[in-house]
Amino acid sequence: MTRPPLETIGTDRRTFMCGAVGTAATLLGAAAHAQVAPGVRPRVLPPATRFDAVKQVDAGDLNIGYVDLGPRTGRPVLLLHGWPYDIHAFAEVGLLLAAQGYRVLVPHLRGYGTTVLRSSEAVRNGQQAALAADGIAFMDALGIKQAIVAGFDWGARTADIMAVLWPQRCTALVSVSGYLIGSQAANAKPLPPKAELQWWYQFYFATERGRAGYAANTDAFNRLIWETASPKWQFDDATYNRSAASFVNPDHVAIVIHNYRWRLGLVDGEKKYDDVEARLAAGPPVKVPSITMEGDANGAPHPPAEAYRSKFAGPYEHRLISGGIGHNLPQEAPQAFAKAVLDVARLG
């Protein structure tokens, strides 16, 4: 297998001051060459970046909370977060892209923030097809015909699936850790012991003790994941607490537990997604222009870039982001992530 081309980009952790387009352009340019040593204190976000103006829209099974930045006539970009994170992972990225004239849409995934299921009878479903369907329903609700889709963790998987199943709606893709589409059959295969160890929380969640433990200790549990997934990111309490507020959601625990149990085949998904899951289980390639990214200090389970290169059949680049960058790449390296979105728009 041919090794994918790598573009190593250092990151700048200096305090970001939002403002004019010129400032955004300077920061994006700096992302191409800046390098800092691990251990630098984190930036403190100014009030304007805290995503306080959350809107709501009915979309499919959900009432979705989201942030809408930039001109409404701008090219749409859909930014998707993962677990256990929230929309604040894209606070700086959103401002950078909005300053470049993009319309930036950042929804809370199901089970996070102000996004809730509209029916009390609905299944608290965390399977991958459901989250991708949410993304398309969200675009439909806002009248967005096409968008660049970008994300990390659950959000990267969701963006990957959207790009595969609805390429006419997703013009380009930015995906941290590459191709994350999976299947219950593939997940049933055992991994080497060291790889299995990285998934300790998945096995914990498979037990009733794990469900009860996560429900009782959500805040401490998720902070531990932040620390282990991004071992060199010295985030402060305020940064974590802004996102932790999104875990106080009536559906959060149920959806997280279902997500990980579904992956292992311990619970069923919804019948309406059976055909979609069958298509995804075949590992279909991504054909839209794509940039995949990885932090050089990602402590979460993730595949090597070589393992998924063949899954990208269209224009493609892979970028390794240096400077002690962990799993939450958009929040730890916002300039590099925003630059990837701008670049993928021109890649095709």
Side-chain angles (χ1 to χ4, degrees):
M1 182 179 298
T2 303
R3 183 179 180 87
L6 298 178
E7 178 177 342
T8 302
I9 303 177
T11 60
D12 183 350
R13 298 191 182 207
R14 294 170 297 177
T15 300
F16 173 70
M17 298 301 292
C18 62
V21 173
T23 302
T26 299
L27 287 169
L28 288 170
H33 59 76
Q35 177 104 18
V36 296
V40 175
R41 292 300 301 168
R43 62 182 67 80
V44 176
L45 301 185
T49 70
R50 292 178 184 166
F51 283 26
D52 293 325
V54 176
K55 301 179 179 181
Q56 298 291 137
V57 64
D58 286 339
D61 295 335
L62 305 176
N63 180 261
I64 295 178
Y66 68 101
V67 168
D68 189 344
L69 302 175
R72 292 183 62 84
T73 57
R75 185 174 183 178
V77 177
L78 180 60
L79 303 178
L80 301 167
H81 68 83
W83 172 83
Y85 307 94
D86 82 330
I87 60 175
H88 289 91
F90 296 107
E92 293 188 55
V93 170
L95 287 177
L96 287 165
L97 294 175
Q100 294 292 317
Y102 285 77
R103 183 181 181 185
V104 183
L105 300 161
V106 193
H108 281 292
L109 299 187
R110 55 170 59 201
Y112 295 79
T114 57
T115 293
V116 294
L117 285 150
R118 297 167 65 186
S119 169
S120 60
E121 304 300 318
V123 177
R124 271 47 188 170
N125 183 359
Q127 76 182 105
Q128 60 181 1
L131 272 74
D134 293 344
I136 293 298
F138 176 65
M139 291 175 62
D140 289 343
L142 296 182
I144 304 296
K145 294 182 178 179
Q146 293 184 317
I148 298 169
V149 290
F152 71 107
D153 196 84
W154 288 19
R157 180 176 296 106
T158 302
D160 289 346
I161 295 171
M162 291 174 66
V164 163
L165 297 181
W166 295 279
Q168 73 279 12
R169 306 292 300 277
C170 304
T171 58
L173 168 70
V174 174
S175 179
V176 176
S177 298
Y179 189 93
L180 297 178
I181 300 172
S183 71
Q184 290 177 321
N187 290 337
K189 298 176 182 178
L191 300 171
K194 286 185 178 180
E196 295 282 23
L197 179 62
Q198 290 188 301
W199 287 108
W200 67 270
Y201 53 86
Q202 180 170 250
F203 303 118
Y204 181 64
F205 289 161
T207 68
E208 180 54 27
R209 175 175 173 161
R211 187 209 61 78
Y214 188 61
N217 304 291
T218 307
D219 211 48
F221 194 102
N222 290 346
R223 186 172 187 123
L224 175 63
I225 296 298
W226 277 41
E227 292 168 351
T228 56
S230 298
K232 296 184 179 181
W233 181 34
Q234 296 185 2
F235 57 88
D236 59 15
D237 290 342
T239 298
Y240 175 74
N241 290 337
R242 274 193 295 274
S243 290
S246 294
F247 312 144
V248 185
N249 177 294
D251 303 321
H252 179 76
V253 172
I255 287 172
V256 170
I257 297 301
H258 186 272
N259 177 284
Y260 287 101
R261 290 183 179 180
W262 179 87
R263 295 192 202 189
L264 294 178
L266 301 177
V267 296
D268 293 330
E270 293 182 81
K271 290 292 184 182
K272 64 182 178 180
Y273 298 121
D274 283 356
D275 290 344
V276 171
E277 292 294 356
R279 291 176 61 189
L280 296 176
V286 177
K287 297 181 180 180
V288 303
S290 303
I291 292 177
T292 60
M293 309 181 75
E294 193 60 80
D296 65 343
N298 185 359
H302 62 279
E306 294 86 350
Y308 53 74
R309 173 61 185 94
S310 63
K311 292 296 186 181
F312 293 89
Y316 175 75
E317 292 181 14
H318 178 75
R319 297 180 179 182
L320 177 65
I321 311 303
S322 67
I325 302 305
H327 191 58
N328 185 1
L329 195 153
Q331 195 162 3
E332 297 176 63
Q335 293 87 5
F337 192 90
K339 186 175 188 299
V341 173
L342 295 176
D343 289 347
V344 81
R346 299 186 287 266
L347 194 59

